[in-house]
Coordinates of all heavy atoms in Angstrom, one line a residue:
Y648 N 19.3 -15.4 -41.4 CA 17.9 -15.4 -41.2 C 17.4 -14.0 -41.1 O 16.4 -13.6 -41.7 CB 17.5 -16.2 -40.0 CG 16.0 -16.1 -39.7 CD1 15.1 -16.9 -40.4 CD2 15.5 -15.3 -38.6 CE1 13.7 -16.8 -40.1 CE2 14.2 -15.2 -38.4 CZ 13.3 -15.9 -39.1 OH 12.0 -15.8 -38.8
V649 N 18.0 -13.2 -40.2 CA 17.6 -11.8 -40.0 C 17.7 -11.0 -41.3 O 16.8 -10.2 -41.7 CB 18.4 -11.1 -38.9 CG1 18.2 -9.6 -38.8 CG2 18.1 -11.8 -37.6
V650 N 18.8 -11.1 -42.0 CA 19.0 -10.4 -43.3 C 17.9 -10.8 -44.3 O 17.3 -10.0 -45.0 CB 20.4 -10.7 -43.9 CG1 20.5 -10.2 -45.3 CG2 21.5 -10.0 -43.0
N651 N 17.6 -12.1 -44.4 CA 16.6 -12.6 -45.3 C 15.2 -12.0 -44.9 O 14.4 -11.7 -45.8 CB 16.5 -14.1 -45.3 CG 17.6 -14.7 -46.1 OD1 18.2 -14.1 -47.0 ND2 18.0 -15.9 -45.8
Q652 N 14.9 -11.9 -43.6 CA 13.6 -11.3 -43.2 C 13.6 -9.8 -43.6 O 12.6 -9.3 -44.0 CB 13.5 -11.4 -41.7 CG 13.3 -12.9 -41.2 CD 12.1 -13.5 -41.9 OE1 11.0 -13.0 -41.8 NE2 12.3 -14.6 -42.5
I653 N 14.7 -9.1 -43.4 CA 14.8 -7.7 -43.8 C 14.6 -7.6 -45.3 O 13.8 -6.7 -45.8 CB 16.1 -7.1 -43.4 CG1 16.1 -7.0 -41.8 CG2 16.3 -5.7 -44.0 CD1 17.5 -6.6 -41.3
M654 N 15.2 -8.4 -46.1 CA 15.1 -8.3 -47.6 C 13.7 -8.6 -48.0 O 13.1 -8.0 -48.9 CB 16.1 -9.3 -48.2 CG 17.6 -8.8 -48.1 SD 18.8 -10.0 -48.6 CE 18.3 -10.4 -50.2
K655 N 13.0 -9.6 -47.3 CA 11.7 -10.0 -47.7 C 10.7 -8.8 -47.4 O 9.9 -8.5 -48.3 CB 11.2 -11.2 -46.8 CG 9.8 -11.6 -47.0 CD 9.5 -12.8 -46.1 CE 8.0 -13.0 -46.1 NZ 7.6 -13.9 -45.0
L656 N 10.9 -8.1 -46.3 CA 10.0 -7.0 -46.0 C 10.3 -5.8 -47.0 O 9.4 -5.1 -47.4 CB 10.3 -6.5 -44.5 CG 9.7 -7.4 -43.5 CD1 10.2 -7.0 -42.1 CD2 8.2 -7.3 -43.5
H657 N 11.6 -5.7 -47.3 CA 11.9 -4.6 -48.3 C 11.3 -4.9 -49.7 O 10.7 -4.0 -50.3 CB 13.4 -4.5 -48.4 CG 13.8 -3.3 -49.3 ND1 13.6 -2.0 -49.0 CD2 14.5 -3.3 -50.5 CE1 14.1 -1.2 -49.9 NE2 14.6 -2.0 -50.9
E658 N 11.3 -6.2 -50.1 CA 10.6 -6.6 -51.3 C 9.1 -6.4 -51.3 O 8.5 -6.2 -52.3 CB 11.0 -8.0 -51.6 CG 12.4 -8.2 -52.1 CD 12.8 -9.7 -52.1 OE1 12.0 -10.6 -52.0 OE2 14.0 -10.0 -52.4
E659 N 8.6 -6.5 -50.0 CA 7.1 -6.2 -49.9 C 6.8 -4.8 -49.9 O 5.6 -4.4 -49.8 CB 6.6 -6.9 -48.6 CG 6.6 -8.4 -48.6 CD 6.3 -9.0 -47.2 OE1 5.8 -8.2 -46.3 OE2 6.5 -10.2 -47.0
G660 N 7.8 -3.9 -50.0 CA 7.5 -2.5 -50.1 C 7.9 -1.7 -48.9 O 7.7 -0.5 -48.9
Y661 N 8.4 -2.3 -47.9 CA 8.8 -1.5 -46.7 C 10.1 -0.8 -46.9 O 11.1 -1.4 -47.5 CB 8.9 -2.4 -45.5 CG 7.6 -2.9 -44.9 CD1 7.1 -4.1 -45.2 CD2 6.9 -2.1 -44.0 CE1 5.9 -4.5 -44.7 CE2 5.7 -2.5 -43.5 CZ 5.2 -3.7 -43.8 OH 4.0 -4.1 -43.3
N662 N 10.2 0.4 -46.5 CA 11.4 1.2 -46.5 C 12.3 0.6 -45.4 O 11.7 0.2 -44.4 CB 11.0 2.7 -46.3 CG 12.2 3.6 -46.2 OD1 13.2 3.3 -45.6 ND2 12.1 4.7 -46.9
Y663 N 13.6 0.6 -45.6 CA 14.4 0.1 -44.5 C 14.2 0.7 -43.2 O 14.3 0.1 -42.1 CB 15.9 0.2 -44.9 CG 16.3 -0.8 -46.0 CD1 16.7 -0.4 -47.2 CD2 16.3 -2.2 -45.8 CE1 17.1 -1.2 -48.2 CE2 16.6 -3.1 -46.8 CZ 17.1 -2.6 -48.0 OH 17.4 -3.5 -48.9
K664 N 13.9 2.0 -43.2 CA 13.7 2.7 -41.9 C 12.4 2.3 -41.2 O 12.2 2.4 -40.0 CB 13.6 4.3 -42.2 CG 14.9 4.9 -42.6 CD 14.8 6.3 -42.8 CE 16.1 7.0 -43.2 NZ 15.9 8.4 -43.5
E665 N 11.5 1.7 -42.0 CA 10.2 1.3 -41.5 C 10.2 -0.1 -40.9 O 9.3 -0.6 -40.2 CB 9.1 1.3 -42.5 CG 8.8 2.7 -43.1 CD 7.7 2.5 -44.2 OE1 8.1 2.2 -45.3 OE2 6.5 2.8 -43.9

Side-chain angles (χ1 to χ4, degrees):
Y648 174 79
V649 170
V650 168
N651 286 333
Q652 293 301 306
I653 291 170
M654 290 171 53
K655 179 182 166 192
L656 287 169
H657 186 66
E658 288 170 7
E659 291 175 10
Y661 285 96
N662 180 314
Y663 287 117
K664 291 180 182 179
E665 295 177 281

